[in-house]
Amino acid sequence: MNWKQANLHHSILLSSLLFAPISWASAIKMDVYIPQNMEVYVPSGRKVSEFNVHKIDGLRQKEAEISALLPSDPVLAQARLGLFVESGEYKKYAQDLMNGWNSINSAVNSGIKKIPAIIINDKFVAYGVDPKEALQAYDNYIIKHGAQ
């Protein structure tokens, strides 16, 4: 799935999240919220100091992977889960689970309403576009309205 397919009917919504001053010449920080099966790239042509990708459905997919390892019988599943933890097998899933929870927490705390979404400099959000288009919309907004 690419950005165009996922966002055929989405429109750009660029709004101010905060009203702190920003510097036009400063580096850009981008937080990108996307589904697990979508790829995203850092836009070229501008200095991007931070580019954080949050795969919003990654937690659900990792939990499904772990659940698939367990038998359907609850008693057997509990025993298998005990072995899973004792053997250290869980460690290969632990970081992915933590990343999934962190991504969901970040989206909720940022007020993200739908994905894909891109937050620029913790102040502006663009829905339904790729990072390059979000950056263009951000620049246009700054030119039209000035840095707030």
Side-chain angles (χ1 to χ4, degrees):
M1 177 182 297
N2 65 37
W3 284 95
K4 295 295 181 197
Q5 292 169 330
N7 303 301
L8 188 57
H9 298 291
H10 290 136
S11 61
I12 296 173
L13 172 62
L14 188 66
S15 62
S16 176
L17 296 175
L18 300 172
F19 296 100
I22 60 173
S23 170
W24 178 259
S26 67
I28 298 294
K29 174 188 177 216
M30 299 181 94
D31 286 287
V32 181
Y33 298 87
I34 58 175
Q36 187 73 23
N37 64 343
M38 190 175 282
E39 293 183 18
V40 65
Y41 302 96
V42 178
S44 60
R46 284 287 286 279
K47 183 177 180 185
V48 177
S49 61
E50 266 186 70
F51 191 79
N52 305 305
V53 177
H54 305 275
K55 302 268 183 161
I56 297 302
D57 56 349
L59 177 63
R60 183 182 62 224
Q61 290 181 354
K62 195 51 70 176
E63 287 175 338
E65 272 182 52
I66 294 169
S67 292
L69 299 172
L70 301 175
S72 58
D73 179 278
V75 174
L76 294 175
Q78 186 175 5
R80 172 64 177 104
L81 193 55
L83 291 172
F84 182 73
V85 173
E86 282 179 29
S87 70
E89 186 181 357
Y90 77 93
K91 290 179 184 177
K92 70 181 183 181
Y93 297 96
Q95 188 62 51
D96 289 337
L97 290 170
M98 288 175 28
N99 290 344
W101 278 112
N102 288 339
S103 290
I104 290 170
N105 187 48
S106 178
V108 169
N109 288 336
S110 298
I112 295 299
K113 305 284 187 240
K114 61 184 176 178
I115 59 171
I118 300 169
I119 296 180
I120 300 175
N121 289 345
D122 297 323
K123 295 169 181 59
F124 299 89
V125 63
Y127 291 103
V129 296
D130 66 34
K132 183 178 179 181
E133 292 169 316
L135 193 52
Q136 289 169 343
Y138 171 78
D139 288 343
N140 290 338
Y141 182 88
I142 296 297
I143 289 168
K144 185 174 181 179
H145 300 286
Q148 296 183 10

